[in-house]
Amino acid sequence: MQVKVAIGTIAFMLTMIVLGYAALREPTRLDEFSDAAQGRSIEAGGVLFGANCATCHGVDGKAEECQDPSSGEPVPCTGLPLNSYFLVCGDRPQRLEDLGWEGSKEQYIQRTISAGRAGTIMPAWLDEFGGPLRPDQVENLADFILNWGDEEFCAQEPSSFAWPESVEDFRAMAEVEAGDPENGVTVYQNYGCAACHGMPEQEGSAAVGPWLGDIAEIAATRVPGMSAEDYLYHSILDPNAFIAPDCPAGPCTDPSLMPGDFAFRMSTNPQDMADILSYLMGE
Ligand code: HEC
Ligand code: HEC
């Protein structure tokens, strides 16, 4: 009898040890499982991105290299850069602050993909809103986009080019040459200005921001005491510094829908600013 009890007790203890060990291992197994699921989601998102989004947002989401989907010819990118420090890094990326978005960056990205952006060429992608994609595919795309914001990418502080207070001081900098309006056209298209403002040569071509064909005269009247060129310079570096009154779809919204990251993006090549200014000033 006593032997049976002893065997029973030992068997029970052994079972508990085995179960306890399995229970302890469970969280690691869950982690590995969700890492693998996350990896698969990012991969699926990459395929969807290449097929649906790169025509406007460019190779690697940088809005630098875009191709016409049917001919394969290079075309100017009409979407915003998504592979951007200001969209994917930190808990509250600058882009969310600029737009006054209260939710998380995951929600912002999923929401924009799902519903598109009214008044722009960004289409709605979720089936519920008439798009071609399922909810899990929208999640895959958001996972893919957010994966650009890895530790290494986000560790690089935004470039430290110190934009001078006034356009006169900027123009006087040794490393800035006189603006080249012809290159300004290319730069204007490469930064995606045309997607919102249309082309200055074509009246009525603006979709989101004011048409800039007559901005050289109008800019001089916007802020008392501020030169036209200084107004343009500040409008590009900090869209929220002044809000233009009239946008194509009605009054311009405050905060501005214009991305706040041009100061950062042009830091690698400040000459782009000089060229855009010459172009917009009609030089
Ligand atoms: C026809 C061109 C076009 C296509 C195709 C397109 N987009 Fe866009 N997308 C835009 C434009 C233009 C904007 C900027 C809208 C605005 O003015 O706010 C935008 C904005 C976005 C934003 C918000 C970016 C920000 O900084 O606010 C995300 C995210 C996005 N697109 C993801 C996608 C994904 C994912 C796809 C593919 C499923 C896609 N887009 C396909 C043109 C496009
Ligand atoms: C996502 C859309 C979008 C993009 C891209 C964009 N803008 Fe804007 N922009 C706007 C909107 C909306 C306004 C009006 C609100 C405001 O004043 O910020 C505006 C305002 C301006 C103004 C002031 C216009 C006025 O009538 O006072 C200038 C100048 C300007 N943008 C230049 C640029 C240049 C140059 C680029 C490219 C480097 C650019 N924008 C890219 C949306 C955009």
Side-chain angles (χ1 to χ4, degrees):
M1 194 58 191
Q2 268 187 355
V3 176
K4 270 193 187 160
V5 170
I7 291 174
T9 311
I10 289 166
F12 177 75
M13 282 170 67
L14 278 176
T15 316
M16 289 315 284
I17 288 168
V18 169
L19 283 177
Y21 180 71
L24 278 176
R25 290 239 337 135
E26 195 56 18
T28 4
R29 273 185 42 210
L30 269 180
D31 275 357
E32 280 163 17
F33 179 75
S34 60
D35 277 356
Q38 180 73 3
R40 277 197 300 277
S41 174
I42 292 167
E43 220 172 282
V47 175
L48 287 166
F49 190 87
N52 299 293
C53 321
T55 45
C56 294
H57 291 286
V59 175
D60 293 331
K62 291 194 168 140
E64 283 166 3
E65 280 173 66
C66 292
Q67 287 181 346
D68 183 296
S70 40
S71 67
E73 291 285 305
V75 288
C77 296
T78 51
L80 297 175
L82 304 177
N83 187 345
S84 154
Y85 184 92
F86 293 99
L87 180 64
V88 297
C89 291
D91 287 337
R92 275 204 71 69
Q94 184 66 35
R95 180 74 175 140
L96 308 195
E97 292 292 345
D98 288 347
L99 294 174
W101 175 266
E102 303 282 340
S104 69
K105 59 183 176 184
E106 286 80 5
Q107 287 166 336
Y108 175 73
I109 290 175
Q110 289 194 13
R111 175 75 203 174
T112 310
I113 302 172
S114 298
R117 183 71 49 74
T120 79
I121 54 172
M122 170 67 187
W125 292 93
L126 186 62
D127 44 17
E128 195 185 310
F129 297 104
L133 303 181
R134 298 185 310 263
D136 59 302
Q137 293 177 308
V138 169
E139 261 174 55
N140 294 155
L141 280 162
D143 286 345
F144 175 70
I145 291 168
L146 283 166
N147 189 49
W148 278 317
D150 62 15
E151 237 170 89
E152 195 190 338
F153 179 75
C154 292
Q156 293 170 351
E157 288 289 314
S159 166
S160 59
F161 181 81
W163 294 94
E165 261 309 303
S166 74
V167 76
E168 288 77 25
D169 292 347
F170 169 69
R171 290 278 205 177
M173 288 176 90
E175 63 259 54
V176 178
E177 291 168 25
D180 171 358
E182 258 170 56
N183 191 50
V185 187
T186 314
V187 174
Y188 180 86
Q189 292 181 320
N190 285 349
Y191 281 105
C193 316
C196 294
H197 292 285
M199 290 308 288
E201 294 76 26
Q202 214 183 326
E203 192 160 3
S205 58
V208 184
W211 179 63
L212 299 177
D214 51 4
I215 192 67
E217 293 102 72
I218 289 184
T221 67
R222 285 275 189 248
V223 182
M226 195 172 216
S227 75
E229 205 183 30
D230 215 18
Y231 174 79
L232 293 181
Y233 175 74
H234 287 284
S235 293
I236 298 169
L237 289 180
D238 180 7
N240 287 314
F242 319 102
I243 301 292
D246 301 311
C247 281
C252 301
T253 55
D254 185 359
S256 178
L257 285 177
M258 177 159 156
D261 66 349
F262 289 117
F264 170 58
R265 290 172 61 200
M266 291 184 186
S267 280
T268 39
N269 194 6
Q271 184 62 36
D272 289 349
M273 171 65 94
D275 294 353
I276 287 194
L277 288 175
S278 296
Y279 171 54
L280 291 179
M281 290 298 292
E283 283 171 8

